[in-house]
């Protein structure tokens, strides 16, 4: 009996050769794709210092703020002149016109006291909606007329002193007699919180500073240390601060010479060695009245050195101011 024929898959040689070739080609491309490094989509292990500082307020940002230009440039002036010309603007008389009713400060105060503004609360509600009530005299800025020159001159003083002493936001500044903060506002805005200190004796000026200028300019968060006092008593400022700048604008000329010398003696140990500066405006008769040689001897005995006289011009009106510069003597 014949055995049945065996059944199976018969693969011819040509088919086998083609299959092996196809497998080899596939394996080649597979290995090639695995060996190539895919592009990395993950962030780098370390972020550049500049980027992190800019985002998180690090030292680079602070350095840039310190290098930022303080005074107005020629380009700035040309720009604003171009804007005035491009808009065809000319100075006009400030008279009654549509939507504008010019008032003097006295008239504005009278209106405020009598009418309280277009919309206001009455009765018991009148005191429930104002977090920091401000006297009307301050609201109409009567204190801006307390000085012998326009309020805008405060910016001129700030720019001159800040650039002369190469201030940065990290610097510490002490003003003797900051008044209503005509100058101080600009320092407070520029410096880090608590880096501006002031000694002032006039109560009304201090009220204007605390109840109007600081809140109206959004500077309460800067926490300036403003102390009411006189007789050049700086004990309330503590002993741990060394100042980069100490200045007195039109203050020493109203004080007895003896008190000025007392103040300078107390300030010597609070001034940053060599780099710190003391600036005094208008005149130094407290010293010159002693005579040249005696003046120098007195300064030397305190460890101070006179560096010279400076003037700076106002940006907005015909005026220049005189300043006298001092520093600690080299050891």
């Amino acid at each position: 009996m014949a055995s049945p024929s065996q059944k199976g898959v018969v693969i011819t040689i040509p088919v086998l050769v083609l299959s092996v070739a196809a497998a080899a080609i596939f394996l080649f491309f597979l290995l090639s794709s695995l060996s190539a490094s895919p592009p990395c989509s993950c962030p780098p292990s370390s972020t550049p210092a500049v980027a992190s500082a800019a985002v998180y307020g690090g030292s680079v940002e602070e350095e840039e703020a310190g290098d930022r230009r303080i005074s107005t440039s020629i380009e700035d002036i040309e720009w604003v002149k171009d804007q005035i010309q491009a808009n065809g603007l000319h100075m006009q008389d400030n008279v009654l016109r549509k939507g504008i009713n010019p008032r003097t400060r006295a008239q504005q105060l009278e209106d405020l006291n009598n009418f309280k503004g277009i919309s206001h609360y009455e009765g018991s509600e009148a005191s429930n909606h104002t977090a920091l009530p401000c006297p009307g005299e301050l609201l109409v800025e009567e204190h801006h007329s307390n000085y012998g020159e326009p309020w805008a001159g405060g910016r001129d003083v700030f720019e001159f002193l800040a650039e002369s002493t190469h201030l940065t936001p990290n610097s510490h500044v002490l003003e003797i007699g900051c008044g209503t903060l005509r100058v101080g506002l600009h320092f407070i805005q520029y410096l880090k919180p608590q880096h501006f200190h002031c000694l002032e004796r006039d109560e009304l000026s201090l009220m204007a500073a605390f109840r109007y200028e600081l809140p109206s300019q959004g500077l309460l968060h800067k926490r300036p240390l403003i102390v009411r006092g006189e007789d050049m008593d700086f004990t309330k400022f503590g002993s741990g601060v060394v100042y980069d700048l100490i200045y007195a604008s039109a203050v020493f000329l109203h004080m007895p010479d003896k008190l000025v010398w007392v103040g300078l003696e107390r300030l010597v140990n609070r001034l940053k060695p060599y780099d710190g500066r003391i600036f005094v405006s208008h005149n130094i008769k407290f010293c010159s009245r002693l005579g040249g040689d005696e003046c120098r001897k007195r300064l030397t005995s305190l460890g101070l050195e006179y560096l010279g006289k400076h003037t700076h011009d106002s940006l907005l009106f015909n005026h220049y101011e005189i300043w006298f510069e001092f520093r600690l003597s080299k050891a």
Side-chain angles (χ1 to χ4, degrees), residues 161-216:
L161 293 176
E163 293 197 330
S164 296
T165 53
H166 308 290
L167 287 190
T168 72
N170 286 315
S171 301
H172 287 83
V173 174
L174 169 65
E175 181 176 3
I176 302 170
C178 58
T180 58
L181 298 179
R182 186 176 73 111
V183 179
L185 281 176
H186 302 285
F187 280 104
I188 294 168
Q189 187 175 46
Y190 179 73
L191 297 171
K192 282 187 170 184
Q194 302 181 24
H195 280 217
F196 178 83
H197 295 177
C198 166
L199 181 68
E200 173 58 52
R201 62 175 293 180
D202 185 66
E203 184 174 5
L204 182 57
S205 294
L206 290 171
M207 287 293 284
F210 282 120
R211 298 190 65 177
Y212 179 76
E213 293 299 338
L214 289 174
S216 69

Side-chain angles (χ1 to χ4, degrees), residues 2-18:
S3 62
S5 60
Q6 295 181 347
K7 295 182 179 180
V9 178
V10 178
I11 300 176
T12 62
I13 292 178
V15 173
L16 180 61
V17 171
L18 289 174

